[in-house]
Amino acid sequence: MTPVAFADLQRNVRACTLCADHLPQSPRPVFQISRTARILIAGQAPGSKVHESWIPFGDASGLRLRDWLGLDRETFYDAKRVAILPMGFCYPGTGKSGDLPPRPECATAWREKILRELSAVKVTLVIGQYAMAWHFGPRAKATLTETVQAWREYQPMLWPMPHPSPRNNIWLKKNPWFKRDALPELRKQVKAALV
Ligand code: SF4
């Protein structure tokens, strides 16, 4: 794809209204990409705060994620180095137990096309069950915890991660090995990928 075609692709995604009828508000796709990005953050879908601010991970989850990666804000939001591509680009709304899943139309319509262009990526963070289902397919384990626990199996490119949301504080308490064993290795790889 030429640079012009890549810019057109981004424009088309920004103008997308494919699943507008299912969204609680007008579509406002949130993502950050460039063809030189070395790190890819494959997340779920923006929450309401991110929908408002239009800043990916511009909330408490972002603070924790940057800490996990050992990245400052400037690097994290440098599209030339870090791509942020959730499974659904628009806020899907809230259900009884938190935010609804990413709209499935989004990945079907856009994901493959965009990922094909991100050929400089060295490390992909696969955050949450929907991103795991897409990126790992049959290699995903029965549960998110089992998949994250098996992080060594997906090396060197892919990192299964729990969502950094404060909602996951209990998960993090129950699984101290994640901070102790996985995060130091992840930070090392992120640093090496950005050199
Ligand atoms: S969630 Fe994705 S498919 Fe739906 S309107 Fe937004 S960009 Fe389009």
Side-chain angles (χ1 to χ4, degrees):
M1 190 180 278
T2 63
V4 172
F6 186 61
D8 281 346
L9 172 62
Q10 290 190 65
R11 254 193 303 278
N12 290 339
V13 178
R14 298 243 181 255
C16 177
T17 57
L18 193 61
C19 67
D21 290 349
H22 301 283
L23 301 176
Q25 300 178 41
S26 301
R28 205 173 186 217
V30 183
F31 61 94
Q32 165 180 308
I33 52 174
S34 90
R35 299 165 98 189
T36 59
R38 296 300 195 92
I39 308 290
L40 168 63
I41 298 170
Q44 304 232 109
S48 58
K49 274 191 188 160
V50 170
H51 173 83
E52 292 302 328
S53 68
W54 216 33
I55 301 173
F57 285 100
D59 54 10
S61 299
L63 275 177
R64 176 176 272 160
L65 183 56
R66 287 191 285 281
D67 176 56
W68 284 357
L69 300 178
L71 294 182
D72 59 28
R73 200 179 160 85
E74 192 192 340
T75 308
F76 187 84
Y77 288 118
D78 181 353
K80 291 195 178 91
R81 293 189 278 180
V82 177
I84 302 175
L85 198 70
M87 293 303 298
F89 300 149
C90 301
Y91 170 53
T94 306
K96 277 185 194 150
S97 50
D99 283 356
L100 292 170
R103 288 303 311 175
E105 299 88 340
C106 202
T108 306
W110 300 115
R111 200 158 191 81
E112 201 64 61
K113 280 181 201 154
I114 297 174
L115 288 177
R116 227 179 281 142
E117 299 303 311
L118 304 186
S119 55
V121 167
K122 302 277 182 220
V123 174
T124 298
L125 280 92
V126 185
I127 298 178
Q129 58 169 318
Y130 299 102
M132 285 177 191
W134 173 277
H135 286 268
F136 297 137
R139 294 173 70 209
K141 311 292 177 197
T143 67
L144 178 142
T145 301
E146 286 173 40
T147 306
V148 179
Q149 239 162 353
W151 57 272
R152 291 178 183 85
E153 284 182 28
Y154 306 105
Q155 300 302 301
M157 287 282 290
L158 299 167
W159 275 88
M161 308 272 292
H163 199 281
S165 163
R167 282 173 185 269
N168 268 342
N169 285 350
I170 292 172
W171 187 95
L172 291 166
K173 263 197 183 149
K174 279 188 186 163
N175 296 281
W177 50 267
F178 175 70
K179 274 187 169 178
R180 186 189 60 228
D181 304 333
L183 284 188
E185 185 57 32
L186 173 64
R187 283 194 194 113
K188 245 190 263 171
Q189 291 194 18
V190 165
K191 197 172 172 189
L194 289 173
V195 170

